[in-house]
């Protein structure tokens, strides 16, 4: 095991992977005292007031002169609140152009988007049509789909909301964006929308708002019009049977890596998330961006406190200001729901070596790599920019990923330290373990072990390339671990914003 | 078709079931002008300032002298806001004791409660264990359960919340009450709780808060401890296999009707809901209360504006004040979520004949009959009082019924005008149509046609007795229409109160 991890060549601290005694040789310096596991060591002298850099980013300032080899933590680091002093586009580090153009085998759709899977979706407007949708989907067993080898399955997207809510405003609009996002997703060859009829979240309003017309591969129906559950299920089965030959005619063709849009996600994080799996995923994102592809970071509460570092990476002022607008919205949202946006390191975080809110938030944001922030989106809004982008969402995994998929992500990459059994449809989830112990214990669920950065001296860059190459294989049709286990049918959770009435 | 409906002998108005010309004979009076369908006719002279009574309740005051036979509507009715002028226990009309004691065949549990079904439940703490729970339940096919004829099935209760939420406060407490309510439900012979491990809604906190201990029929497990999805599913199947012989040893025995606790619910209401199905269900509730049984009204936003009529029915001041406390909480909840508690008749309601907020709210409250209000409960709180009770909940059907079932309801009775395909587990749902047209159209979903009150001259009392007798049959094991169609596996929706973070 390497005894320290360097996250960027420009950093003036490295992180100990195990407890180090005073006098340990660390890169070119010698430790001046005991360094606990997960804590930082100065690799150069840092003058009082000078920046401490980790992830190539500012995480605080030296509160006193720091010698090379010193333990760097709360006792000698100051964090100045930089609220309202945003800088824009001052830290733009575009990805170096890729030496070669990579490709994967995808489903190119008529509108130019590319699917990594080929499903037929049943999208519900309200919980009142949940059983109808499940019963329609359940009809399409592997036996009944055997004649359609290019169809990956019939999925029901069922949820707990859609009525007992305001018929306008942010909650309503977010739900309609999710529905439309799943309806238009490139991993769906065909879509059937099923509602009840009297719900607040009217399918007809959606069709009108987005100018949608029914056709052979897009159909809608309401239980109250079709006259009951049984007839709805029968009619739904017939509609999907008619779609199957058309969906089966779709085939994989070579597509450039630039057609990949990857949801960057973490859940069940641990002290190593910000050191191993998140930076490795960030490097994979950089490699993808170098190809012209797209990474979508989310989980606004988890980047709280580091937003002014992201504005410096914003390609322009408008993009940076959109991000700040999200932060202000969250402060209000949590306040009026009697919560708070406290993302400061907890006592446990500090014991693990996290010194400031910047460092903690950067550990989460590390999933997004180092390239410029090219776009900021509302929850479930279509992501149209290429490059590294941000989407507003809660940190809660299923709600966040639902928004990312609605935005058009055709792959999900999910880092976890405690261990998660998450999976998603229609975009498959790749899971990356932050530590080798959990990877070994949950090997049926984990696709990648980023713990080898600690245990086997693998570099963040090597691990990032491994993840990036897995993107291409999974996108081409290889099943991820969660996919092989049949996950993804019960993790569709539209973010519910307003009051339930 | 009868041309008018009288809802109580003491009412001074009746409702027209079709348009009536001037000069029509209505009971002992003659109409003085045109009466639209659904509108009210005075059956006696009403002096200026005197109360208008429908449902044996005040719905407004005469704004001018009203003659017998006059159309009674917004032009001659005044509604005085009686805010803050609550009267308590001034309108107590206890049920007349029943002439005979009725019974049904139920499962009497060790703690004295009685089940109407005999399921094994898989209760989840968080969405992250949803697929695990579904895969465990899916193992128990009819073939595999054939050796256990007294077991109605293995149900997974899966939802979209449980993390990304505050770890205390009303939203958290409501979710823990729902979990504990389903775990303890008398329709469950055995319970397996499945979590992830790192979620906010910790199973261990629940066990500690409620002093629960694991045993042969109550088991818990977390995916992170069991080490992954596959092993969790295998372990869960083994735990339930061990419960099956014990659950199958339970048998039905005669139980008094007083052991029934019926959730009173409406959804997809129409102009006839308050005239046919709701009053008929109210009479069924009165018959049940006369036996010593319990009815649980809910849907706080829908009784808004009539709360001071319910305080008059409250058995004591504390019970009435609890109800007022809920109303105040809702005013705050909707305001801070940028909504409002407007339950006034809409233009469409007025066109249909609803004159005041009192009349509208009484139409919803009519499901609760006429007997004293014996208890008021928080969402998902155990209902311990006998008689007519009230539970706080949204109007949204799946969220409201989830609270009622968590409170111990072993039957659900659901009135609908537009038509609903709702169903529930572990307590079965009986559906009552408000009109004959929809009943005929959705006959596979509707158990009772209360539209015959309009079309066939059946009295509210007769229809109420039909519903009450159906309670006893369904409670004894006859499948309701929704149950026969396999509904109830996807309608478990805990009310999500706070911010999703
Ligand atoms: Ca996270
Ligand atoms: Ca997350
Ligand atoms: Ca059976
Ligand atoms: Ca209702
Ligand atoms: Ca309802």
């Amino acid at each position: 095991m390497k005894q320290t991890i360097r996250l960027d060549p420009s950093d003036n601290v490295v992180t100990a992977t195990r407890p180090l005694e005073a006098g340990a040789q660390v890169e070119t310096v010698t430790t001046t005292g005991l360094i606990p596991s997960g804590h930082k060591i100065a690799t150069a002298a840092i003058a009082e007031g000078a920046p401490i850099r980790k992830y190539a980013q500012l995480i605080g300032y030296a509160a006193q002169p720091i010698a090379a080899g010193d333990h760097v933590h709360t006792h000698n680091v100051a964090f100045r609140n930089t609220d309202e002093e945003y800088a824009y586009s001052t830290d733009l580090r575009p990805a170096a152009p890729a030496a070669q153009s990579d490709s994967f085998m995808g489903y190119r759709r008529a509108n130019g988007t590319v699917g990594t899977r080929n499903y037929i979706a049943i999208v519900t407007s309200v919980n009142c049509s949940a059983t109808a949708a499940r019963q329609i989907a359940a009809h399409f067993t592997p036996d009944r789909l055997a004649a359609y080898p290019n169809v990956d399955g019939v999925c029901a997207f069922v949820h707990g909301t859609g009525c007992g809510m305001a018929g306008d405003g942010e909650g309503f609009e977010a739900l309609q964006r999710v529905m439309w996002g799943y309806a238009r997703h490139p991993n769906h060859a065909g879509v059937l929308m099923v509602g009840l009829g009297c719900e607040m979240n009217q399918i007809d309003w959606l069709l009108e708002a987005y100018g949608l017309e029914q056709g052979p591969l897009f159909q809608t129906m309401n239980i109250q019009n079709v006259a009951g559950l049984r007839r709805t299920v029968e009619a739904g089965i017939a509609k999907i049977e008619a779609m199957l030959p058309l969906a089966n005619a779709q085939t994989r063709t070579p597509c450039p890596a630039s057609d990949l849009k990857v949801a960057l996600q973490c859940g069940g994080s641990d002290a190593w998330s910000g050191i191993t799996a998140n930076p490795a995923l960030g490097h994979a994102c950089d490699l993808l961006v170098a190809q012209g592809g797209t990474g979508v970071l989310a989980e606004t509460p988890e980047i709280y406190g580091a937003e002014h570092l992201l504005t410096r990476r914003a390609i322009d002022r408008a993009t940076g200001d959109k991000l700040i607008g999200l932060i202000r919205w969250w402060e209000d949202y949590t306040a009026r729901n009697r919560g708070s946006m406290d993302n400061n390191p907890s006592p446990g975080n500090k014991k693990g070596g996290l010194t400031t809110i910047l460092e903690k938030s950067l550990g989460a944001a590390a999933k997004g790599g180092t390239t410029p922030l090219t776009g900021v989106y509302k929850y479930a809004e279509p992501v149209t920019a290429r490059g590294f982008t941000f989407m507003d969402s809660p940190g809660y995994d299923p709600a966040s990923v639902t928004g990312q998929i609605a935005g058009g992500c055709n792959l999900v990459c999910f880092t976890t330290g405690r261990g998660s059994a998450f999976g998603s449809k229609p975009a498959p989830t790749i899971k990356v373990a932050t530590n080798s112990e959990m990877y070994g214990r949950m090997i049926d669920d984990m696709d990648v072990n980023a713990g080898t950065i600690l245990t086997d001296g693998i570099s963040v860059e090597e691990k990032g390339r491994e993840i990036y190459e897995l993107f291409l294989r999974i996108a081409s049709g290889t099943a991820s671990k969660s996919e092989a286990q049949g996950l993804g049918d019960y993790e569709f959770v539209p973010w519910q914003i307003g009051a339930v009435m």
Side-chain angles (χ1 to χ4, degrees), chain A:
Chain A
M1 195 196 282
K2 269 172 78 178
Q3 63 187 11
T4 58
I5 299 284
R6 164 170 290 281
L7 290 164
D8 191 89
S10 69
D11 292 352
N12 54 12
V13 293
V14 293
T15 302
T17 61
R18 54 184 174 81
L20 300 178
E21 302 289 332
Q25 186 69 24
V26 165
E27 299 193 346
T28 62
V29 304
T30 305
T31 55
T32 59
L34 186 86
I35 312 290
S37 177
H39 285 234
K40 294 176 290 299
I41 304 135
T43 55
I46 308 172
E48 186 173 340
I52 317 281
R53 291 198 160 265
K54 185 180 168 187
Y55 304 104
Q57 301 279 358
L58 176 92
I59 61 162
Y61 298 91
Q64 58 190 62
I66 297 176
D70 274 2
H71 179 205
V72 177
H73 200 28
T74 48
H75 64 286
N76 56 7
V77 176
F79 168 61
R80 282 183 231 144
N81 196 332
T82 55
D83 231 24
E84 312 294 338
E85 293 171 28
Y86 298 115
Y88 295 86
S89 316
T90 55
D91 186 21
L92 298 180
R93 286 174 287 159
Q100 62 170 61
S101 283
D102 296 326
S103 66
F104 69 102
M105 297 297 288
Y107 294 93
R108 188 166 291 284
R109 306 299 182 187
N111 68 357
T113 61
V114 173
T116 60
R117 296 292 181 272
N118 195 47
Y119 286 106
I120 291 177
I122 306 167
V123 176
T124 55
S125 53
V126 66
N127 183 263
C128 310
S129 54
T131 291
R134 292 280 182 213
Q135 290 191 356
I136 295 167
H139 174 84
F140 295 96
T141 56
D143 270 8
R144 290 196 173 112
L145 290 176
Y148 308 101
N150 294 341
V151 176
D152 288 309
V154 176
C155 311
F157 296 101
V158 159
H159 56 86
T161 177
C163 204
M165 64 191 296
D168 55 20
E170 53 202 12
F172 179 80
E173 286 163 14
L175 182 58
Q176 289 232 322
R177 285 198 300 272
V178 169
M179 283 179 68
W180 170 220
Y182 274 67
R184 155 200 86 219
H185 199 280
N187 285 11
H188 290 148
V191 173
L192 171 64
M193 281 198 184
V194 185
L196 175 59
C198 59
E199 63 271 29
M200 189 57 88
N201 181 34
Q202 287 282 306
I203 290 176
D204 283 351
W205 296 352
L206 183 80
L207 303 189
E208 199 182 306
Y210 291 98
L212 309 183
E213 297 204 354
Q214 304 206 27
L217 288 167
F218 181 66
Q219 295 271 300
T220 74
M221 59 193 216
N222 281 328
I223 293 172
Q224 286 170 348
N225 299 338
V226 180
L229 181 77
R230 184 177 56 77
R231 275 170 280 204
T232 299
V233 172
E234 288 168 3
I237 289 170
K239 283 172 187 290
I240 288 178
E241 279 172 343
M243 291 181 189
L244 279 167
L246 302 172
N248 194 55
Q250 305 271 322
T251 54
R252 290 188 185 268
T253 56
C255 299
S258 57
D259 283 319
L260 286 181
K261 204 174 283 178
V262 179
L264 311 165
Q265 184 68 211
C266 63
S269 298
D270 69 0
W272 300 112
S273 296
I275 307 292
T276 61
N278 290 359
L281 174 55
H283 188 68
C285 181
D286 286 350
L287 294 172
L288 179 65
V289 168
Q291 295 280 338
T294 306
V296 183
L297 187 69
E299 312 187 77
T300 317
E302 299 189 11
I303 59 119
Y304 190 68
E307 65 274 13
H308 61 283
L309 297 177
L310 285 169
T311 59
R312 295 180 196 177
R313 288 172 62 187
I315 45 155
D316 54 30
R317 167 121 201 183
T319 303
D321 277 340
K322 266 197 206 168
L323 186 77
I324 301 309
L326 298 181
I327 295 287
R328 295 288 162 265
W329 183 89
W330 270 88
E331 287 171 340
D332 175 61
Y333 170 63
T334 49
R336 68 188 145 93
N337 282 285
R338 299 176 183 164
S340 84
M341 280 291 280
D342 182 10
N343 192 32
N344 280 298
S346 64
N349 289 153
K350 286 184 181 164
K351 208 172 155 201
L354 290 180
T355 305
T356 65
I357 189 172
L358 293 183
E359 184 180 10
K360 183 180 175 187
S361 295
L362 282 166
K367 300 189 293 292
T370 61
T371 66
L373 175 67
T374 58
V376 172
Y377 297 92
K378 288 189 284 195
Y379 180 77
E381 200 178 6
V383 174
T384 53
R386 303 280 172 142
F388 164 60
T389 65
F390 186 85
M391 175 180 284
D392 185 34
S393 88
Y396 183 42
D397 308 331
S400 182
V401 174
T402 295
Q404 291 171 309
I405 291 176
C409 289
N410 48 18
L411 275 183
V412 178
C413 193
F414 187 120
T415 68
T416 179
R418 303 281 302 270
S420 158
F422 184 81
S424 54
K425 286 183 180 175
T429 287
I430 296 166
K431 289 212 292 299
V432 180
T434 69
N435 66 82
S436 299
E437 182 281 319
M438 187 274 287
Y439 176 80
R441 192 157 41 85
M442 292 183 63
I443 190 133
D444 297 329
D445 299 274
M446 297 297 135
D447 296 281
V448 177
N449 180 14
T452 55
I453 293 170
L454 296 174
T455 50
D456 299 15
I458 306 294
S459 73
V460 165
E461 289 72 21
E462 285 172 277
K463 191 54 64 176
R465 179 156 290 279
E466 177 188 340
I467 294 171
Y468 167 75
E469 286 169 358
L470 190 59
F471 288 171
L472 300 174
R473 283 203 305 284
I474 301 286
S476 299
T478 299
S480 73
K481 291 279 183 85
S482 55
E483 204 175 11
Q485 295 200 82
L487 281 146
D489 284 314
Y490 305 104
E491 290 78 8
F492 174 68
V493 179
W495 180 18
Q496 201 175 294
I497 300 176
V500 181
M501 294 182 290

